[in-house]
Amino acid sequence: MVRAIRASYRAPMHSPSLWQALHQRRYLRSGWPWRCALYFLTSVPLGAALLACLLVLALAGSLLTVVLVGVPLLLTLVLAGLPVAHVERRRLRLIDPAVPLADAHQDPPRTGPAAWLRTRLQERSTWRELGYALLFGCLLWPLEAAVIGTVLGVSGGLISTPLVMATAGGGEEARVIKLWLVHSYPAAFAVALAGLLLLPLLAYPLGLLAVGRAQLTRLLLDGSSPQDDLRVRELSRSRMRLVTAFEAERRRIERDLHDGAQQRLVSLSMRLGLARLDAREEPLAELLAQAHGEAQAALVELRELIQGIHPRVLTDRGLAAAIEDIADRSPVPVDLDLDLPHRFLEAVESAVYFAVCEALANVAKHSRATRATVEARVDQGQLVVRVRDNGVGGADEADGTGLEGVADRISVLGGHLLVSSPSGGPTVFRLLVPCTPAPDRRLDAPPTR
Amino acid sequence: MLRIVLAEDSVLLREGLVGIMERFGHQVLAGVGTADELMAAVAEHDPDIVVTDVRMPPGFSDEGLRAALRLREKNPRMPILVLSQYVQRAYAEELLDSSDGTHVGYLLKERVGNVEEFVEALQRVAAGATVVDPEVVRQLLRHRRDPLAKLTPREQEVLALMAEGQSNASVAASLHVSEGTVSKHFGSILTKLDLSLSDATNRRVLAVLAYLRG
């Protein structure tokens, strides 16, 4: 239900990529060859361990399926790509640090393992990552082992020739990488020298292979293509623009109603009130009293309508005062624990305000709760709001489009709405919205209109 | 006769208010449309009471209320009646917190339609009373504290009217009961809320409000 779009911004490139480095003379003196070697070296134990895990899970899982214990094991096998991909994305920074890979997984719409599992199983990323895990475990790491083994074996073999001659060869002969024999120390040292000279030469194919390996990893584990990124960013921007325009429009309507209809109705009611002072005789008095009553009722309705369009207190006094105001109006008693030290952007305050309104309306309509709490605080640059009741739960079945609208508005701001409402209760709404203080908006001072 | 300074940016409403006040024999010394003009007019005329709208130019936010609070800072006994378009507990509380909470009123604008009650509230504030709109009191009443749940609906009504600064007689009239019934209700309210009885109506109202606001 709730989908949070996280725009993944491409990091600016400060240093040349491995591919660019390969074309430069500095390559050999740079850290790149060492990074490549380290990458391939770490691939081997990781890949081997992965293969072992995959085999155990597959074997045990299929054997035990008959007694049902195997089912969760097979499920674990399917999800094995998740941790592997996580590690691999980090490890990729060794040889491809410029643009970290984005995790393309979505946040589940609500808390709880079932929702998480459902979301993961429906995602393409999960299956791509499983594919990567299988490829890595069964094919890639043995190849990488061969590559790094050859490089280290050949150069190491050549360089260690004098040592071999001194120890195993008894100072008389040494077998160079099992291919040919040398019989004197000068020859042995010449071979060692050749080995040392070979090392930088081998660094180039090593780098090339690493580039290929990085491309392959990127292809399989990067959830977002550049075009997608652009589109997502453009979409987020246009959604933000829409919401901002929508907000401005609501404020304009509120202002127009306040300056226009509301003033005129008050004026009308005053005049009727004055007229009643002069017209004490029936039937005029009765008619005027009725008209006056109608005007007063219209004023009450208009006041409530305006309050629902855009509450003045939110603009004037900020989120905490506005939440106190909703709590006052709620038919279910609400306890507040608000720690909001500063004002936020208008869009943030507004979205959170209407989210809390909707959550409390849900509490009142469906939860059969006798008490609710609203907590709000700022934690590590995030506005965290929690609305909790002691009701019977089942919020998602009961509500209509209200919560979805809230989720949309929150996700425009890059935030999330998480609803946990098991049947039997309690229902917990959690809002997480990235926020920065709005320094020009003081808690007690209003902005201009 | 009260000498009044009135601040209201809508000409339509300003004229209407002036009409009402003059109709009841009060004198409007100045009718202004901004908070700055209000400050100047009060300095010039030294009125018996100030009546001001909350939302005024230039910001159209709560300039009127801020001006009222500044006036109260200068002169803590300056009677001020604030008219608001909205039920806003925060505004009412700021007003009540200014100096000792007497000589102030916070009413919804739509109350001015009930001309006689409005003028009565005006006079009460000028005389030093505290007047709070019943809607705001209702908000305060709703679930401020559990002891209030012990009050019967009728007692809550009585409490709300009392908080407006109404006397037992006028509460009785509003609820169509005898004065004796009202004082019985109020006695039981005070007992239930564990408040001590005092003869000054205003003190009573303030005590109740202070209690409600926790």
Side-chain angles (χ1 to χ4, degrees):
Chain A
M1 176 177 66
V2 185
R3 187 178 167 197
I5 291 188
R6 272 196 236 143
S8 57
Y9 296 100
R10 301 248 153 195
M13 297 205 186
H14 296 300
S15 50
S17 70
L18 174 54
W19 177 247
Q20 286 164 327
L22 273 171
H23 291 79
Q24 293 169 349
R25 213 172 285 167
R26 293 203 300 273
Y27 171 68
L28 289 177
R29 277 176 289 141
S30 70
W32 284 115
W34 302 102
R35 282 164 163 262
C36 297
L38 188 61
Y39 185 84
F40 286 123
L41 271 176
T42 48
S43 276
V44 178
L46 275 174
L50 175 63
L51 181 62
C53 288
L54 289 176
L55 283 176
V56 168
L57 281 172
L59 274 174
S62 37
L63 284 178
L64 293 173
T65 307
V66 271
V67 286
L68 287 178
V69 188
V71 177
L73 288 177
L74 287 179
L75 208 55
T76 314
L77 179 64
V78 169
L79 296 174
L82 298 178
V84 174
H86 183 75
V87 172
E88 286 297 283
R89 278 194 203 97
R90 298 184 143 250
R91 208 163 63 92
L92 187 67
R93 291 186 204 163
L94 263 180
I95 52 174
D96 193 358
V99 187
L101 279 185
D103 182 345
H105 289 291
Q106 293 169 10
D107 291 308
R110 64 203 77 216
T111 50
W116 182 84
L117 194 61
R118 201 174 314 126
T119 310
R120 287 292 167 268
L121 289 180
Q122 285 168 356
E123 284 177 326
R124 220 169 57 172
S125 313
T126 307
W127 300 97
R128 281 163 73 131
E129 287 168 3
L130 176 63
Y132 177 86
L134 293 175
L135 189 68
F136 182 37
C138 302
L139 188 65
L140 289 180
W141 77 266
L143 290 178
E144 288 170 290
V147 168
I148 195 69
T150 309
V151 170
L152 294 184
V154 169
S155 52
L158 292 181
I159 293 168
S160 61
T161 308
L163 199 66
V164 173
M165 190 138 163
T167 53
E172 282 172 14
E173 61 169 26
R175 190 167 281 275
V176 183
I177 40 175
K178 300 188 180 169
L179 288 179
W180 71 91
L181 286 167
V182 287
H183 299 283
S184 68
Y185 273 109
F189 277 107
V191 169
L193 189 65
L196 275 175
L197 289 174
L198 189 62
L199 255 187
L201 286 181
L202 286 175
Y204 280 93
L206 192 68
L208 266 177
L209 285 170
V211 168
R213 178 69 167 82
Q215 285 300 324
L216 183 66
T217 309
R218 200 164 267 288
L219 191 72
L220 287 172
L221 294 188
D222 193 359
S224 59
S225 69
Q227 286 90 341
D228 279 354
D229 257 17
L230 276 177
R231 269 192 54 216
V232 164
R233 254 191 288 173
E234 185 42 49
L235 275 176
S236 318
R237 276 199 215 116
S238 84
R239 286 209 314 168
M240 189 72 200
R241 281 197 296 272
L242 275 176
V243 164
T244 313
F246 176 67
E247 250 341 285
E249 190 65 2
R250 288 178 86 111
R251 277 202 311 281
R252 190 186 64 73
I253 294 172
E254 185 262 344
R255 218 161 49 222
D256 287 354
L257 284 175
H258 171 273
D259 295 347
Q262 208 175 14
Q263 308 275 33
R264 285 197 178 276
L265 265 176
V266 171
S267 172
L268 171 69
S269 165
M270 270 195 300
R271 279 169 211 281
L272 285 170
L274 278 172
R276 286 178 70 190
L277 295 178
D278 294 327
R280 300 283 190 189
E281 291 106 54
E282 299 298 340
L284 195 55
E286 178 57 27
L287 280 174
L288 278 175
Q290 279 174 7
H292 197 197
E294 296 273 331
Q296 290 293 92
L299 268 171
V300 173
E301 272 178 32
L302 187 60
R303 170 157 55 78
E304 272 157 18
L305 174 73
I306 294 177
Q307 177 75 27
I309 291 173
H310 190 93
R312 199 61 224 177
V313 67
L314 184 61
T315 320
D316 290 351
R317 291 290 188 277
L319 200 50
I323 291 178
E324 279 172 21
D325 195 62
I326 321 172
D328 280 345
R329 289 163 208 279
S330 162
V332 178
V334 179
D335 297 318
L336 296 176
D337 180 6
L338 309 176
D339 183 12
L340 301 172
H342 49 70
R343 298 286 305 260
F344 308 97
L345 291 178
E346 205 152 21
V348 171
E349 289 190 339
S350 197
V352 171
Y353 171 84
F354 284 105
V356 174
C357 273
E358 186 60 37
L360 284 178
N362 261 284
V363 170
K365 262 187 268 170
H366 308 298
S367 73
R368 283 186 262 156
T370 55
R371 198 123 208 129
T373 49
V374 179
E375 293 163 22
R377 70 201 140 77
V378 177
D379 189 13
Q380 297 173 357
Q382 276 206 317
L383 179 54
V384 185
V385 182
R386 207 165 71 125
V387 181
R388 194 187 160 86
D389 68 28
N390 61 357
V392 295
D396 48 331
E397 284 88 11
D399 80 86
T401 54
L403 282 181
E404 240 169 63
V406 166
D408 284 347
R409 288 184 77 165
I410 294 292
S411 84
V412 169
L413 303 166
H416 316 281
L417 168 69
L418 301 171
V419 182
S420 152
S421 187
S423 86
T427 301
V428 181
F429 296 86
R430 250 157 54 90
L431 286 175
L432 303 164
V433 185
C435 67
T436 42
D440 54 324
R441 310 186 70 205
R442 284 170 36 207
L443 267 176
D444 57 339
T448 51
R449 88 152 149 182
Chain B
M1 184 194 77
L2 293 172
R3 297 162 59 255
I4 302 168
V5 164
L6 169 66
E8 163 64 62
D9 63 304
S10 153
V11 179
L12 195 68
L13 291 190
R14 193 158 72 215
E15 280 171 2
L17 284 166
V18 171
I20 291 175
M21 289 161 181
E22 285 177 349
R23 161 87 199 227
F24 284 83
H26 301 304
Q27 185 192 356
V28 179
L29 302 169
V32 298
T34 68
D36 292 341
E37 286 168 12
L38 171 63
M39 301 299 285
V42 171
E44 189 189 333
H45 298 288
D46 188 26
D48 298 329
I49 183 167
V50 172
V51 178
T52 178
D53 185 12
V54 169
R55 193 163 162 178
M56 278 200 289
F60 293 95
S61 144
D62 57 354
E63 287 77 3
L65 180 72
R66 277 165 203 288
L69 296 177
R70 278 206 303 279
L71 288 173
R72 296 275 291 174
E73 247 169 58
K74 282 190 199 161
N75 177 3
R77 301 244 123 189
M78 165 69 76
I80 295 184
L81 176 61
V82 172
L83 297 177
S84 171
Q85 217 83 307
Y86 307 110
V87 186
Q88 217 87 97
R89 187 157 61 82
Y91 294 168
E93 288 184 340
E94 282 166 33
L95 205 57
L96 288 168
D97 289 338
S98 68
S99 64
D100 64 348
T102 65
H103 298 81
V104 286
Y106 180 91
L107 283 183
L108 276 178
K109 233 179 210 177
E110 60 207 50
R111 306 286 173 219
V112 298
N114 297 320
V115 180
E116 283 166 311
E117 285 169 33
F118 168 66
V119 173
E120 203 193 310
L122 193 68
Q123 286 159 350
R124 278 212 308 273
V125 173
T130 309
V131 173
V132 176
D133 197 278
E135 275 291 313
V136 177
V137 175
R138 213 158 290 152
Q139 239 190 52
L140 288 168
L141 267 174
R142 211 166 264 166
H143 11 253
R144 293 310 287 169
R145 283 200 192 170
D146 286 328
L148 287 175
K150 288 190 283 191
L151 301 185
T152 64
R154 195 56 160 188
E155 285 165 354
Q156 295 201 4
E157 270 178 281
V158 171
L159 184 63
L161 291 168
M162 289 277 175
E164 278 178 70
Q166 293 198 18
S167 63
N168 283 8
S170 60
V171 172
S174 313
L175 298 179
H176 308 290
V177 295
S178 75
E179 243 180 273
T181 314
V182 171
S183 49
K184 213 177 68 198
H185 279 314
F186 195 66
S188 100
I189 291 170
L190 292 180
T191 316
K192 283 184 182 173
L193 298 187
D194 203 18
L195 292 166
S196 61
L197 199 60
S198 142
D199 51 359
T201 314
N202 215 47
R203 202 170 288 279
R204 224 164 48 166
V205 173
L206 286 176
V208 171
L209 284 175
Y211 177 83
L212 289 177
R213 291 164 60 199

